[in-house]
């Protein structure tokens, strides 16, 4: 994977992570964490958005299936590092959320990037 590819995957991953985290910060206390099903729906939608933008970036960069693992690493690294900072400074970054939201946000991040890893490691379909 070229340095330019790595740059674009990192930029796209950063933008997607920032958007997802801002959405979580804005709506977690009032809507997302009010009911389990809202939380599950949010996690599914955000995970789908992360996967969509990863696949969109792979298509735009014309990246082969065998190089997607490195692309997923470049895509997810800024989000994972940012999430570590958010988790470490949770009360400062998201002061309006209750303490149990710390674990929920952490689980949200693990699920989203875990699905991305599975998708990146997926084998391409062989045609006959």
């Amino acid at each position: 994977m070229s340095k330019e590819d790595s740059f674009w995957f990192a930029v796209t991953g950063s933008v997607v992570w920032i958007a997802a985290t801002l959405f979580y910060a804005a709506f977690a206390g009032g809507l997302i964490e009010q009911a389990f099903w809202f939380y599950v729906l949010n996690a599914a939608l955000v995970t789908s958005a992360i996967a969509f933008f990863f696949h969109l970036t792979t298509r735009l960069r014309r990246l082969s299936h065998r190089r997607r693992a490195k692309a997923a690493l470049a895509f997810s690294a800024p989000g994972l590092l940012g999430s570590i900072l958010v988790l470490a400074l949770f009360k400062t970054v998201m002061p309006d959320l209750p303490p149990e939201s710390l674990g929920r946000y952490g689980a949200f991040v693990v699920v989203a990037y875990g699905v991305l890893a599975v998708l990146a490691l997926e084998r391409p379909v062989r045609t006959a």
Side-chain angles (χ1 to χ4, degrees):
M1 194 167 78
S2 70
K3 289 181 183 180
E4 186 178 350
D5 287 337
S6 296
F7 170 78
W8 285 112
F9 277 100
V11 167
T12 306
S14 297
V15 169
V16 171
W17 173 78
I18 289 169
T21 300
L22 289 175
F23 181 81
Y24 191 87
F27 296 107
L31 177 65
I32 296 171
E33 294 186 1
Q34 294 303 315
F36 175 75
W37 294 111
F38 287 138
Y39 183 79
V40 170
L41 178 64
N42 177 64
L45 290 174
V46 170
T47 301
S48 298
I50 288 172
F52 172 78
F53 283 106
F54 174 73
H55 280 291
L56 179 65
T57 308
T58 59
R59 299 267 177 162
L60 292 174
R61 300 302 305 166
R62 294 183 178 97
L63 201 67
S64 67
H65 279 278
R66 63 189 155 121
R67 296 193 342 222
R68 287 191 179 183
K70 289 180 183 177
L73 183 61
F75 185 89
S76 62
L80 290 172
L81 293 174
S83 295
I84 290 169
L85 285 173
V86 168
L87 289 168
L89 305 169
F90 193 76
K91 280 306 234 181
T92 305
V93 177
M94 299 186 192
D96 297 334
L97 295 179
E100 57 270 12
S101 294
L102 173 69
R104 293 177 185 150
Y105 177 77
F108 167 72
V109 170
V110 168
V111 167
Y113 288 111
V115 169
L116 177 66
V118 169
L119 290 174
L121 296 173
E122 173 185 51
R123 289 188 165 174
V125 178
R126 291 189 175 205
T127 55

